[in-house]
Amino acid sequence: MPIVLAEPDELLDDVMGLVSVHGRSSVVAIYDEAADHLILWFVSVPNPALENVPTEPQGQTMGEFIGQDTPDGARTFRVRYWAYSAITFEIPCYVRSDREHRTSYNIRPGT
């Protein structure tokens, strides 16, 4: 599976452009140097079977995108040059301890 490296201040459209180059599902690895956090996100290929959601706002950074709450664990999204939506979710083998996650695959006790 391809891995795309990104920083929190990179534009979402630019990062998803790199994901598109691979033509298959990818992992986006985001390293936040200031917070010393590595975050891994799975990104599916755009799929016509998914609900076609509105595009994400232009100028949105990866940090803003991943900072949005995903209470169901996965999120359907679309960038401006994709005809169809894709799904993304944080890979559960690395769960941040500084914020709560309400996901079906949460492995932390007590949540």
Side-chain angles (χ1 to χ4, degrees), residues 43-83:
V43 179
S44 73
V45 294
N47 187 329
L50 295 172
E51 173 189 0
N52 212 12
V53 298
T55 59
E56 294 293 322
Q58 281 189 290
Q60 184 177 32
T61 65
M62 282 302 298
E64 293 166 342
F65 180 73
I66 65 173
Q68 295 176 17
D69 191 29
T70 54
D72 296 330
R75 187 163 128 208
T76 304
F77 76 103
R78 186 166 61 98
V79 292
R80 64 186 165 120
Y81 49 84
W82 286 353

Side-chain angles (χ1 to χ4, degrees), residues 1-6 14-16 18-20 22 26-30:
M1 181 175 292
I3 299 173
V4 174
L5 303 175
D14 293 346
V15 174
M16 292 307 140
L18 292 173
V19 168
S20 296
H22 298 290
S26 301
V27 170
V28 176
I30 303 133

